[in-house]
Amino acid sequence: MNHLSDIELIELAAGHLAAPQSRECEAHLLACADCRARYEESAGVWDQLGTWELTLPQVDLSERVVRAIDESHRLRMPRRLQFPWRAARIAASIAVAMGIGHLAGRMTWDRSPQPVARVADDQAAAALYLEEIGHVTAADLTDLLLVGPDSTDMEDQR
């Protein structure tokens, strides 16, 4: 004879078995005294669990929060010592920012030397569209404006 398992007995006591399986188990309980004793034990435990009222403890969290805040205020640094540390943190932040800026500038700086006068001449020539005339320096331009074209140049052009 196959006896009922503990799970089948618990599910029968809880009322979780399907109707055909429930009828089979009840028929077996009528014939088997061992399974009936185990079922009565499981049904008694299940009944006790059903009458058990669960009461949750009432916890007042506001007291804990107030206590934690008070504790954190006691652990804080005295006011007379807060300013120097704050100033030191600000100074350290500025120093780090300046160091990063310096490194970034050195990495992107164009190191090819160009004479300033040459760059200025090239920019002036480009602005006046003098590339078409040929290479003209600032001195040549000044002579051209103050003295005027040479008479020999004029005669050559005729």
Side-chain angles (χ1 to χ4, degrees), residues 34-80:
D34 288 338
C35 289
R36 192 175 330 120
R38 288 179 34 230
Y39 171 75
E40 289 173 1
E41 185 179 328
S42 295
V45 170
W46 192 259
D47 289 339
Q48 291 246 336
L49 287 174
T51 60
W52 187 27
E53 284 189 35
L54 181 64
T55 57
L56 297 174
Q58 297 298 325
V59 178
D60 187 16
L61 292 178
S62 62
E63 288 180 26
R64 288 185 183 174
V65 170
V66 169
R67 194 175 323 126
I69 290 172
D70 288 342
E71 184 71 23
S72 70
H73 282 299
R74 275 185 286 175
L75 296 177
R76 279 184 41 190
M77 194 178 300
R79 219 163 183 51
R80 62 185 167 81

